[in-house]
Amino acid sequence: MLTRTRWPYPRILAHRGGGALAPENTLVALRVGATLGFAGAEIDARLAGCGTPVLLHDATVDRTTDESGLVRDLAAEDLRQLDAGVWFGNEYAGERVPTLEAASALARNQGQWLNVEIKAEAPDEEEAGAVIAREIARQWRGTSPSPLLSSFSTLALAGARAAAPEIPRGLLLEDLPSDWLDLARSLGCSSVHCRQDTIDGHVVQAAHAAGFGILAYTVNETARALALFELGVDAIVTDELREIRADFLTLYSVGKP
Ligand code: G3P
Ligand code: MG
């Protein structure tokens, strides 16, 4: 049997936990993804002011909670007081900003694999990478495959590599600079995570020829998802959990190894 050594992970990931169906980066989002059969999810993790990793996409809590302010000014205990669900819908009122620890425990419990994107800003990028990598190594000890860390921040990836080199890393790319493969190589990454509209057949071939897995984000159209899998992309991240279903590859007979 063929095994996917380049991408030994689920191939369709629920973006921010539950895609567009639940408040992003919450435990209820991870539950929604798992209930719909998604074996893997992408989540965003960053450091609270006290240094505890929590699930939040932005540097402020303004967009995804009922309060405002910089995450780095709030300890995890302060964040626990905030409502991270009501902005999305009244039925989610009372949902909390989870710690990475709680998210890992839930994901493990429901048999879900994680791509943990490290969010960080200067001057804490290396520190964030190191703390989150160490936490993931501890929280997922003994599980295989381990979560995959990723980041747009090369400093965060360097910090992660120094702290827990055994946890695999992926380089997130907004555009494709001329040295994208060298950059990924220099950070000891095993995958490149590219904005979906920067990917064509040459990009997939170049990534694979250099030994990297390639993930496309964020793919919300069925036709584009099909095209990307036809090009040989290893995985996609999507918000559209009802359109691009967990059984998408079988349903459309695409994405053969
Ligand atoms: O990890 C892929 C994707 O989540 C990157 O963009 O802004 O949604 O975190 P963003
Ligand atoms: Mg993300």
Side-chain angles (χ1 to χ4, degrees), residues 19 24 49 102 108 115 154-155 188 196 232 250:
E24 65 183 59
R108 285 188 62 160
N115 168 204
T154 54
L155 288 174
Q196 61 90 13
T250 331

Side-chain angles (χ1 to χ4, degrees), residues 15-16 42 44 57 115 117 119 150 152 172 193 215 217-218 237:
H15 189 218
R16 304 185 189 178
E42 185 263 4
D44 303 295
H57 180 279
N115 168 204
E117 182 187 344
K119 295 288 191 193
S150 58
F152 289 107
L172 265 160
H193 300 204
L215 171 145
Y217 74 91
T218 301
V237 172

Side-chain angles (χ1 to χ4, degrees), residues 48-52 54 74-82 96-97 99:
C50 60
T52 301
V54 294
L74 298 163
E77 257 321 295
D78 304 324
L79 289 167
R80 274 216 65 77
Q81 312 306 316
L82 310 188
R96 300 293 156 198
V97 173
T99 59

Side-chain angles (χ1 to χ4, degrees), residues 134-149:
R134 238 181 262 122
E135 286 276 298
I136 287 295
R138 181 178 63 76
Q139 292 159 5
W140 291 76
R141 187 160 294 133
T143 51
S144 176
S146 101
L148 172 65
L149 302 171

Side-chain angles (χ1 to χ4, degrees), residues 38-60:
F38 284 79
E42 185 263 4
I43 55 173
D44 303 295
R46 59 169 56 249
L47 299 187
C50 60
T52 301
V54 294
L55 266 54
L56 276 168
H57 180 279
D58 302 352
T60 73

Side-chain angles (χ1 to χ4, degrees), residues 165 178 194:
S178 55
C194 302

Side-chain angles (χ1 to χ4, degrees), residues 22-257:
E24 65 183 59
N25 291 310
T26 60
L27 297 186
V28 72
L30 284 170
R31 283 194 198 97
V32 166
T35 302
L36 291 174
F38 284 79
E42 185 263 4
I43 55 173
D44 303 295
R46 59 169 56 249
L47 299 187
C50 60
T52 301
V54 294
L55 266 54
L56 276 168
H57 180 279
D58 302 352
T60 73
V61 297
D62 303 11
R63 183 177 60 84
T64 57
T65 77
D66 57 342
E67 284 293 341
S68 58
L70 285 168
V71 179
R72 69 157 58 119
D73 290 342
L74 298 163
E77 257 321 295
D78 304 324
L79 289 167
R80 274 216 65 77
Q81 312 306 316
L82 310 188
D83 189 307
V86 74
W87 69 274
F88 190 84
N90 286 335
E91 65 273 37
Y92 296 103
E95 194 63 30
R96 300 293 156 198
V97 173
T99 59
L100 179 60
E101 175 127 43
S104 285
L106 174 63
R108 285 188 62 160
N109 243 325
Q110 40 187 38
Q112 213 174 15
W113 175 84
L114 292 181
N115 168 204
V116 180
E117 182 187 344
I118 304 166
K119 295 288 191 193
E121 293 79 33
D124 301 323
E125 292 166 89
E126 241 174 304
E127 173 70 4
V131 171
I132 290 169
R134 238 181 262 122
E135 286 276 298
I136 287 295
R138 181 178 63 76
Q139 292 159 5
W140 291 76
R141 187 160 294 133
T143 51
S144 176
S146 101
L148 172 65
L149 302 171
S150 58
S151 192
F152 289 107
S153 163
T154 54
L155 288 174
L157 291 171
R161 183 187 201 180
E166 73 280 16
I167 306 296
R169 293 166 302 282
L171 175 63
L172 265 160
L173 293 158
E174 178 77 39
D175 297 302
L176 287 183
S178 55
D179 63 344
W180 61 293
L181 292 171
D182 289 338
L183 194 56
R185 209 175 284 118
S186 73
L187 291 159
C189 289
S190 57
S191 54
V192 284
H193 300 204
C194 302
R195 208 182 67 217
Q196 61 90 13
D197 58 338
T198 65
I199 297 175
D200 60 19
H202 298 295
V203 169
V204 176
Q205 273 168 26
H208 284 169
F212 298 112
I214 178 165
L215 171 145
Y217 74 91
T218 301
V219 186
N220 290 333
E221 284 171 14
T222 301
R224 185 60 181 152
L226 282 172
L228 286 163
F229 281 121
E230 294 289 3
L231 288 176
V233 157
D234 296 295
I236 65 168
V237 172
T238 184
D239 290 314
E240 292 298 333
L241 309 195
R242 291 206 195 280
E243 294 295 321
I244 303 174
R245 297 166 17 171
D247 62 353
F248 187 82
L249 295 173
T250 331
L251 196 64
Y252 289 94
S253 300
V254 283
K256 298 266 168 13

